[in-house]
């Protein structure tokens, strides 16, 4: 099987759609049992839910909102920019761009748009709520005018950037795997699950490169790792997949984990925060942010509850 070569060639040439690239990576994720990678592929393939944490390349981003108004004597105003600050809290999400669509839909929309920007219309319900606030005097936009419709402007470049971000992550994943698992294409399918931790580590590094971390909000990182809690061999395989660490750093990280490996659960729970602090000291200098995120995710999962 020459899966990695095919993915790298297709991603660099641009011959394959991003949706097709994801299907190739899905085979790898399924065969290795890398659940986090499979979950990311599923979200990109099928779209994100309203309450799902989004990769930064999908938003949220501030939206420019244009509105149409109707007024006295059949007068009207179109493409009037309405300010976010004028609206109460319940309307704030309508001033944020969140790209929830499946990646294939985003690729199709780019073909249909050509060089133009896209748009996301406000729902009828949102327009009605706004008009109630205008009538009650709690929302001031254009005196004497009612809101007919409003739309978010979706810059074409934002959609292009999101599609290319996924393509680049697929390419980065294949290139990194080529470095840390050069014989991956030659491993029999039934032996691939043994590479689960390494694939998970590579995924965590690649998906967070360039600060594009998956976040639920601006402070909380939603990062997981395919590491068996308490299994030092599993942790070692995971760390082997994190390029950007020196051999000395890997030894120090394993040593830090082994310090509490044989402790009783009660004693272990009291030492996990100290261990995580030491982990931060080991990888805190001269290491890319993505590598730090991946290492901490792996160590936290290995340590179990109470590590963060």
């Amino acid at each position: 099987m020459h899966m990695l070569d095919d993915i790298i060639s297709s991603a660099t040439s641009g011959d394959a759609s991003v949706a097709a690239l994801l299907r190739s990576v899905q085979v790898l994720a399924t065969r290795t049992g890398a659940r986090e990678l499979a979950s990311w592929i599923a979200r990109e393939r099928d779209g994100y839910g309203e309450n799902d944490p989004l990769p930064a390349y999908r938003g949220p981003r501030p939206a420019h909102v244009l509105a149409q108004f109707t007024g006295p004597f059949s007068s009207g105003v179109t493409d009037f920019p309405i300010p976010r600050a004028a609206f109460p809290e319940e309307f704030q999400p309508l001033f944020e761009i969140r790209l929830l669509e499946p990646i294939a839909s985003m690729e199709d929309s780019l073909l249909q748009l050509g060089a133009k920007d896209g748009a996301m219309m406000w729902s009828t319900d949102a327009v009605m709520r706004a008009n109630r606030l205008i009538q009650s005097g709690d929302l001031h936009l254009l005196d004497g005018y009612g809101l007919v419709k409003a739309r978010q402007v979706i810059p074409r470049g934002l959609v292009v950037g999101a599609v290319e971000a996924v393509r680049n992550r697929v390419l980065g994943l294949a290139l990194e795997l080529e470095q840390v698992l050069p014989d991956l294409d030659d491993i029999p399918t039934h032996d691939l699950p043994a590479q689960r931790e390494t694939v998970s580590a590579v995924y965590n590094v690649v998906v967070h490169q360039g600060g594009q971390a998956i976040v639920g909000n601006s402070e909380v990182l939603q990062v997981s790792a395919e590491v068996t809690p308490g299994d030092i061999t599993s942790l070692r395989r995971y760390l082997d997949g994190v390029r950007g660490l020196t051999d000395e750093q890997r030894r120090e990280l394993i040593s830090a984990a082994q310090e509490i490996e044989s402790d009783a659960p009660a004693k272990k729970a009291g030492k996990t925060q100290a261990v995580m602090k030491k982990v931060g000291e080991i990888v805190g200098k001269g290491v890319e942010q993505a590598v730090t995120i991946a290492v901490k995710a792996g160590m936290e999962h290995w340590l179990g509850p109470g590590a963060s």
Side-chain angles (χ1 to χ4, degrees):
M1 126 178 121
H2 301 285
M3 186 183 303
L4 293 182
D5 288 342
D6 290 344
I7 292 173
I8 291 169
S9 176
S10 297
T12 52
S13 68
D15 292 339
S17 67
V18 176
L21 289 173
L22 286 172
R23 287 193 289 272
S24 296
V25 181
Q26 184 179 8
V27 174
L28 173 65
T30 301
R31 289 178 176 174
T32 59
R35 294 183 298 271
E36 278 298 300
L37 174 58
S39 177
W40 174 69
I41 293 168
R43 291 191 298 265
E44 291 296 338
R45 181 195 63 209
D46 301 332
Y48 289 75
E50 287 288 343
N51 297 318
D52 287 343
L54 291 180
Y57 54 80
R58 281 180 171 266
R61 303 286 179 85
H64 186 54
V65 179
L66 300 178
Q68 178 180 338
F69 292 88
T70 185
F73 309 108
S74 300
S75 62
V77 178
T78 59
D79 290 343
F80 183 85
I82 53 178
R84 177 175 185 162
F87 286 79
E89 183 65 29
E90 64 174 304
F91 284 85
Q92 296 310 300
L94 298 175
F95 290 87
E96 292 181 344
I97 299 173
R98 302 175 78 244
L99 301 174
L100 305 179
E101 299 84 357
I103 199 72
S105 297
M106 293 168 65
E107 290 183 296
D108 286 344
S109 71
L110 288 175
L111 293 175
Q112 295 170 8
L113 286 171
K116 298 183 295 183
D117 291 334
M120 178 68 71
M121 301 301 298
W122 281 20
S123 68
T124 302
D125 183 61
V127 172
M128 289 178 61
R129 295 201 314 270
N131 278 318
R132 289 194 192 102
L133 292 175
I134 291 171
Q135 292 165 8
S136 66
D138 294 318
L139 176 61
H140 301 280
L141 296 174
L142 288 176
D143 288 344
Y145 284 78
L147 182 64
V148 176
K149 58 185 177 180
R151 72 181 191 277
Q152 289 183 359
V153 178
I154 312 293
R156 185 180 188 280
L158 188 63
V159 183
V160 170
V163 171
E164 288 306 302
V166 178
R167 183 187 299 276
N168 291 338
R169 277 157 181 73
V170 170
L171 176 60
L173 181 75
L175 290 171
E176 288 292 313
L177 285 172
E178 191 177 51
Q179 295 298 313
V180 300
L181 289 173
D183 300 324
L184 181 64
D185 280 337
D186 299 319
I187 297 174
T189 299
H190 62 270
D191 289 335
L192 280 173
Q195 310 303 326
R196 176 175 61 97
E197 295 95 341
T198 304
V199 172
S200 173
V202 172
Y203 161 75
N204 273 326
V205 171
V206 169
V207 80
H208 297 303
Q209 281 178 345
Q212 302 292 332
I214 291 180
V215 297
N217 54 53
S218 60
E219 299 176 351
V220 181
L221 288 170
Q222 304 291 325
V223 188
S224 186
E226 304 289 346
V227 179
T228 303
D231 184 340
I232 202 73
T233 301
S234 175
L235 178 62
R236 185 176 281 110
R237 284 198 296 261
Y238 180 85
L239 293 176
D240 284 344
V242 182
R243 281 213 310 153
L245 291 177
T246 65
D247 290 341
E248 177 62 25
Q249 285 172 321
R250 288 191 179 89
R251 284 193 293 270
E252 289 183 27
L253 289 166
I254 293 297
S255 177
Q258 287 175 322
E259 286 182 12
I260 65 170
E261 186 179 17
S262 60
D263 286 345
K267 186 176 181 182
K268 183 182 294 187
K271 294 174 68 175
T272 53
Q273 290 188 357
V275 170
M276 287 306 299
K277 181 179 180 181
K278 188 170 184 179
V279 169
E281 294 171 354
I282 294 170
V283 298
K285 294 182 179 180
V287 174
E288 291 184 7
Q289 181 192 30
V291 172
T292 300
I293 291 170
V295 170
K296 288 185 175 180
M299 291 294 290
E300 286 180 0
H301 197 77
W302 186 86
L303 290 165
S308 57

